Amino acid sequence: MIKERKIILISCDSPRSLLDFRGKLIEALIVKHEVIIFTPKIEHEGIKDKLDEMGVRVYENELNPSNVSVVSDIKYLFELRKLIKATKPDVFFPYTFKPVIYGSFVARFCRVNHITPMLTGLGYNF
């Protein structure tokens, strides 16, 4: 039985969390699957370099997790929809608040078979 390589799309609202909190997960997934990251603009070159070195495809957006802007959030929805349509992921893994809420909705709309949302801590909101 040949295991098929899956496309896993990970979405977050902070590029710093990619390696700090999901780095080991990404390393494990990349061994047998293609991993795509959808994250706000990565300002720190070390993060970009490490993700490139790992072989992860990165797509950046302008999502601001603490911004309450309907226009910005709608733009995120459309960018994510476009990315899902282009990459056709088998699994959508959003973590953090906005990607879980908005991303799960968009992924369901785009008929992604497996959606595995994970809400992280309550953070500064509380």
Side-chain angles (χ1 to χ4, degrees):
M1 183 172 159
I2 299 173
K3 286 208 169 194
E4 168 182 337
R5 226 172 124 80
K6 300 219 182 275
I7 298 172
I8 301 171
L9 175 58
I10 299 174
S11 182
C12 66
D13 67 9
S14 170
R16 290 180 306 164
S17 69
L18 285 168
L19 297 178
D20 293 345
F21 299 108
R22 305 292 167 255
K24 295 291 183 190
L25 173 65
I26 294 169
E27 286 175 358
L29 290 173
I30 202 75
V31 171
K32 295 185 180 180
H33 306 288
E34 180 178 351
V35 177
I36 301 168
I37 304 288
F38 191 54
T39 182
K41 186 156 180 61
I42 301 173
E43 302 291 338
H44 191 271
E45 287 300 318
I47 296 172
K48 282 184 180 181
D49 294 342
K50 179 66 177 171
L51 290 171
D52 285 343
E53 182 181 300
M54 293 167 74
V56 175
R57 280 196 292 165
V58 177
Y59 294 88
E60 296 178 334
N61 61 61
E62 296 176 26
L63 182 66
N64 183 340
S66 59
N67 187 6
V68 184
S69 167
V70 174
V71 174
S72 171
D73 291 354
I74 290 173
K75 185 175 180 183
Y76 172 80
L77 291 169
F78 282 104
E79 289 174 350
L80 180 59
R81 180 181 174 274
K82 182 178 176 183
L83 181 62
I84 289 174
K85 291 290 189 184
T87 59
K88 299 182 181 0
D90 299 294
V91 178
F92 178 65
F93 174 59
Y95 67 95
T96 61
F97 192 71
K98 284 186 179 183
V100 166
I101 302 301
Y102 296 148
S104 297
F105 172 75
V106 172
R108 175 73 55 202
F109 178 78
C110 293
R111 301 178 195 265
V112 175
N113 288 331
H114 301 284
I115 303 169
T116 57
M118 182 176 87
L119 273 178
T120 53
L122 297 175
Y124 65 87
N125 293 324
F126 293 92

